[in-house]
Amino acid sequence: MKQETFDIIELRPATKHYYGDSLKMPEILLEDGLLVKAETLDIPLGHSRYGGPIADLPKDFQYPDDLRFAAQLDLKQIAPHDKLGLLPKTGHLFFFADIMEDKGLVVYADMDNSELIRVVKDHEDNFFEGVLIKEAFASTEKLSSRYREPEYEDEEEYTNEDGLLWDYFEGSETSKIFGIFTHCQYQEENILEVVNSDKIVLLQIGENGFNDEGVFSVLIDKNDLKNLNFNNCEFHWGQS
């Protein structure tokens, strides 16, 4: 099997998730104290985050009516861990998406946190929960980790030349930038086609404390990223 190691920027969430202050959540979702009203948390202006009702945006930016705020990245927090040198070193990336249609919008603005304007849109559908990105750090992942030993006899006839099976769910518990594309509904050849192309994982938010179920991914062509052209990004939501 081809052994390939990929440099990634791994992302870890804060403990508490937050929701819009005007919403009423079922008590069962609030019992463990990990989902709270946004007003109870200190959410610094411009801090990297995933989802939720609160976005800190450029002053003249038009919030898209047909998309939900999915994430924003403060590149001063993220870029120092970019061993590949592909990300801008300053400014912010903003992500909006419709996961039902696999469409979205990515915007880059090279401005300081203090120049952003807070916009609050409470809603109950996709991305209604927000969580701050607490930590970003350089890490690696291996393509070999996407394969597993067969667990049952009837799986053995589907193994590759190394006696291994493609693991559709491996990688789902990682949130990151760069590395191996993850989508549990795609075949091995679909994933490897992306891996061997010029497409880059600009953002993956997985099931490591960000999402309970499902992986949100945004892909960008390497040359587009180099030229700060975010008009052709691909949006994917993978969930079993």
Side-chain angles (χ1 to χ4, degrees):
M1 184 197 311
K2 186 177 182 182
Q3 297 287 334
E4 282 196 76
T5 301
F6 297 81
D7 287 313
I8 65 173
I9 304 171
E10 197 162 343
L11 307 174
R12 297 277 174 83
T15 303
K16 292 193 176 183
H17 289 229
Y18 55 88
Y19 63 95
D21 296 327
S22 67
L23 303 184
K24 184 172 177 57
M25 290 291 116
E27 288 300 323
I28 192 171
L29 297 180
L30 307 177
E31 287 178 351
D32 59 9
L34 298 181
L35 178 62
V36 299
K37 284 184 177 290
E39 65 183 0
T40 66
L41 295 180
D42 175 24
I43 302 174
L45 190 70
H47 191 95
S48 300
R49 71 197 68 158
Y50 174 64
I54 299 174
D56 299 329
L57 304 172
K59 181 179 180 181
D60 298 324
F61 177 76
Q62 290 292 321
Y63 196 112
D65 292 332
D66 59 337
L67 302 173
R68 289 299 185 197
F69 171 72
Q72 66 181 82
L73 301 178
D74 178 359
L75 293 169
K76 283 187 177 180
Q77 177 193 11
I78 305 296
H81 310 288
D82 176 11
K83 289 188 174 182
L84 300 175
L86 296 174
L87 294 174
K89 292 180 170 52
T90 59
H92 295 258
L93 282 172
F94 305 94
F95 300 80
F96 296 81
D98 178 344
I99 64 172
M100 305 305 293
E101 300 289 337
D102 279 345
K103 67 178 184 178
L105 173 70
V106 178
V107 175
Y108 171 66
D110 190 6
M111 54 179 54
D112 291 330
N113 290 8
S114 60
E115 300 176 82
L116 301 175
I117 303 297
R118 178 150 291 181
V119 177
V120 180
K121 287 184 177 288
D122 292 0
H123 61 90
E124 296 179 321
D125 51 5
N126 298 314
F127 301 113
F128 83 90
E129 280 187 37
V131 60
L132 296 180
I133 296 175
K134 180 181 179 181
E135 186 181 9
F137 57 94
S139 186
T140 60
E141 62 182 3
K142 290 183 178 294
L143 189 57
S144 59
S145 69
R146 296 299 177 104
Y147 297 85
R148 64 174 177 85
E149 299 278 351
E151 297 179 18
Y152 310 102
E153 282 189 17
D154 59 357
E155 289 185 323
E156 293 180 359
E157 64 178 297
Y158 302 107
T159 59
N160 61 18
E161 63 273 14
D162 297 307
L164 300 173
L165 291 165
W166 178 255
D167 190 333
Y168 287 89
F169 295 97
E170 181 61 35
S172 296
E173 294 186 357
T174 302
S175 296
K176 64 183 182 178
I177 299 168
F178 308 142
I180 305 166
F181 179 46
T182 303
H183 199 300
C184 67
Q185 296 172 329
Y186 287 4
Q187 300 294 321
E188 174 186 5
E189 56 265 28
N190 303 130
I191 300 298
L192 294 182
E193 182 180 356
V194 174
V195 170
N196 294 319
S197 73
D198 288 331
K199 293 179 181 178
I200 289 173
V201 178
L202 183 61
L203 180 64
Q204 173 181 308
I205 301 294
E207 299 169 351
N208 64 325
F210 286 101
N211 293 319
D212 288 333
E213 293 182 351
V215 177
F216 174 65
S217 299
V218 182
L219 302 179
I220 188 171
D221 183 85
K222 185 175 182 179
N223 284 327
D224 281 346
L225 179 55
K226 181 180 179 180
N227 295 318
L228 300 181
N229 174 15
F230 298 94
N231 296 326
N232 306 311
C233 291
E234 296 178 18
F235 299 80
H236 299 268
W237 177 264
Q239 184 176 343
S240 59

